[in-house]
Amino acid sequence: MAAITEPAKIGRLLRDIDGYGGTSVAIAYFFKILPYVFTRPSELRLAEWTEIDFDQKLWTVPAGGSKTRKLSEQPLLVPLARQVEGMFRELRQVTADSRYCFPSTRGKSRVISNEGALAAAQSWIQQGRIKPARNENNRQHAP
């Protein structure tokens, strides 16, 4: 996706995300939380409830749990803004019976798929709600 730098467009994108009408609660919250935490999408998709510390307002991504941290012995510490903490608390009410924060609709022992997230983004593109990023050859990147 292209970088959005204009405040009005950022606000529109966040409102569009809030209005996501898909069938997966996990995918809806995935997209709501992602802009706030600045992690790789795969790190967020794989988040487990044991990594979320509501008292410390902190998400601890285990060492080796991300592409850039494979060789690191240090976990990635992601502070949770009050908005994100609130979203995680809401999500937990729905998905607490899974070890994952973002369980698949196909089974609580699996996480939402990359394809499921891409399909949601593709539907936004088809509806004209977001525009896909383009590379230097004017070819579309996958969202």
Side-chain angles (χ1 to χ4, degrees):
M1 212 179 295
I4 299 173
T5 57
E6 297 173 37
K9 289 184 179 180
I10 293 170
R12 179 176 176 217
L13 176 62
L14 294 176
R15 283 189 298 279
D16 285 347
I17 290 170
D18 277 342
Y20 171 72
T23 58
S24 171
V25 171
I27 287 179
Y29 275 93
F30 169 79
F31 277 111
K32 287 179 183 182
I33 293 171
L34 187 60
Y36 289 93
V37 294
F38 297 103
T39 63
R40 292 178 178 273
S42 60
E43 291 169 339
L44 184 58
R45 281 188 320 103
L46 297 170
E48 297 183 22
W49 286 117
T50 57
E51 300 168 4
I52 307 295
D53 185 336
F54 289 108
D55 294 330
Q56 297 293 316
K57 297 177 179 21
L58 193 66
W59 168 30
T60 303
V61 180
S66 75
K67 183 177 180 178
T68 57
R69 303 188 67 76
K70 291 281 184 215
L71 302 176
S72 176
E73 294 179 16
Q74 300 294 323
L76 173 64
L77 303 177
V78 181
L80 300 179
R82 65 180 161 72
Q83 298 94 325
V84 176
E85 178 192 2
M87 286 184 262
F88 269 119
R89 287 185 185 278
E90 291 170 6
L91 180 61
R92 184 148 193 181
Q93 292 177 5
V94 179
T95 67
D97 57 339
S98 172
R99 82 182 236 205
Y100 297 107
C101 299
F102 304 95
S104 170
T105 56
R106 296 177 189 235
K108 303 246 183 236
S109 63
R110 298 166 54 179
V111 297
I112 58 173
S113 68
N114 195 35
E115 293 77 19
L118 286 173
Q122 286 289 358
S123 78
W124 286 340
I125 289 169
Q126 290 168 355
Q127 296 168 16
R129 294 167 78 177
I130 59 173
K131 291 186 169 63
R134 299 203 174 268
N135 66 17
E136 61 278 357
N137 298 322
N138 204 30
R139 290 196 177 129
Q140 180 178 325
H141 288 284

